[in-house]
Amino acid sequence: MLSIVSTPIGNLEDMTLRAIRTLKEVDLIASEDTRHTGRLLKHFEITTPQISFHAHSGQAKLDKIIAALHDNQHVALVSDAGTPGISDPGYLLIRRAIEEGIKVEPIPGPSALLAALVTSGLPMDKFVYLGFLPTKKGRKTLLEGLKDESRTIILYESPHRLQKTLKNLMEYGFQDHQLVIARELTKLHETIYRGLVSELAQTLENQKLKGEMVLVLHKNTKSS
Ligand code: SAM
């Protein structure tokens, strides 16, 4: 069986009891970064062996994990933070396991996108999650195609691209959208910025925001 185990996005208290038990019980943990996950395992006194499985793992690594699963080993998949597969490695392993008739189970838990959405106060009944925007090619076309989207839009963003993204949002017709920037969620310096894109672009113009962040956008229809 393959268990897809969500882990904290900053605050270790968000580790679920089931995640701890599963990581203790499995035969093998497929980790995005074994050193990173090693620290989590140490904290929870988990001694299960790890195998690395990341974005650049080739076919041979995938075959090795699938062979272990066929050998009736129970494998847990974890990423550095949050839910594996969500802008993180995992999809190829999960798909292959399903194709090969291996049982797949989720161990749900933290994910930055849902934590940001529910804190945003923006409509959360319908939303589109787009992960990271393309860094160069395709960025303009994608953003222009989204400016009339009526559902709430969720994006992951790295701090060093925030200014560029705010500038692009202003350029491509989002200036009157409501924007929430959810920064360092669950961590000591958790900060939530709320305003129109035009307001936040101005307020944050000369600031270098550090840390991890999620952008939540909604077209400014006051009636919704
Ligand atoms: N799989 C993860 C999940 O379920 O949320 C996402 C992994 S993705 C590689 C990392 C991105 O998630 C960061 O660049 C940031 O956009 C977002 N993120 C992760 N942790 C966060 C946090 N504590 N606060 C805000 N955003 C976070």
Side-chain angles (χ1 to χ4, degrees):
M1 177 159 67
L2 177 66
S3 299
I4 306 158
V5 182
S6 301
T7 59
I9 57 168
N11 189 328
L12 290 178
E13 285 183 319
D14 292 333
M15 186 78 170
T16 68
L17 296 175
R18 191 164 168 231
I20 298 171
R21 180 175 56 75
T22 303
L23 294 179
K24 282 187 173 160
E25 280 176 7
V26 294
D27 300 296
L28 192 60
I29 301 172
S31 315
E32 180 179 9
D33 177 339
T34 52
R35 277 176 55 189
H36 184 99
T37 297
R39 290 192 285 274
L40 181 80
L41 299 185
K42 189 159 182 256
H43 182 86
F44 290 104
E45 298 177 350
I46 298 166
T47 54
T48 309
Q50 298 186 66
I51 181 170
S52 80
F53 180 73
H54 49 73
H56 306 291
S57 293
Q59 193 61 32
K61 185 56 75 66
L62 199 56
D63 290 346
K64 194 170 172 185
I65 300 171
I66 292 291
L69 287 160
H70 277 309
D71 200 24
N72 269 335
Q73 292 205 37
H74 185 180
V75 179
L77 170 68
V78 300
S79 62
D80 285 354
T83 301
I86 304 297
S87 299
D88 260 347
Y91 169 64
L92 292 178
L93 176 60
I94 296 165
R95 192 185 64 183
R96 174 95 182 269
I98 293 165
E99 281 167 3
E100 301 216 9
I102 291 156
K103 187 175 174 206
V104 174
E105 68 164 14
I107 312 289
S111 187
L113 79 100
L114 287 183
L117 177 65
V118 296
T119 319
S120 71
L122 300 178
M124 48 194 87
D125 53 338
K126 295 188 184 73
F127 62 90
V128 247
Y129 166 67
L130 293 165
F132 291 96
L133 288 174
T135 51
K136 291 190 186 99
K137 210 166 162 273
R139 198 176 168 89
K140 181 169 189 272
T141 318
L142 181 81
L143 283 175
E144 282 181 339
L146 281 174
K147 70 174 190 300
D148 295 319
E149 172 61 65
S150 59
R151 293 167 293 184
T152 296
I153 301 167
I154 306 174
L155 302 170
Y156 283 171
E157 192 50 282
S158 86
H160 68 269
R161 262 193 293 274
L162 177 67
Q163 292 301 343
K164 177 180 172 183
T165 298
L166 290 175
K167 188 167 160 275
N168 290 159
L169 289 172
M170 290 295 288
E171 284 166 352
Y172 305 143
F174 290 81
Q175 54 276 21
D176 293 329
H177 274 58
Q178 297 178 59
L179 171 63
V180 173
I181 303 175
R183 191 182 140 258
E184 295 284 83
L185 289 167
T186 77
K187 302 185 195 177
L188 187 62
H189 298 293
E190 177 177 285
T191 324
I192 314 288
Y193 300 87
R194 304 170 200 275
L196 298 181
V197 168
S198 55
E199 293 166 349
L200 289 186
Q202 198 176 24
T203 318
L204 302 174
E205 197 176 5
N206 296 315
Q207 291 190 37
K208 269 208 164 120
L209 291 193
K210 286 194 193 131
E212 299 194 281
M213 55 189 73
V214 181
L215 270 50
V216 189
L217 281 158
H218 190 263
K219 198 166 155 54
N220 207 356
T221 45
K222 284 276 184 266
S223 56
S224 59

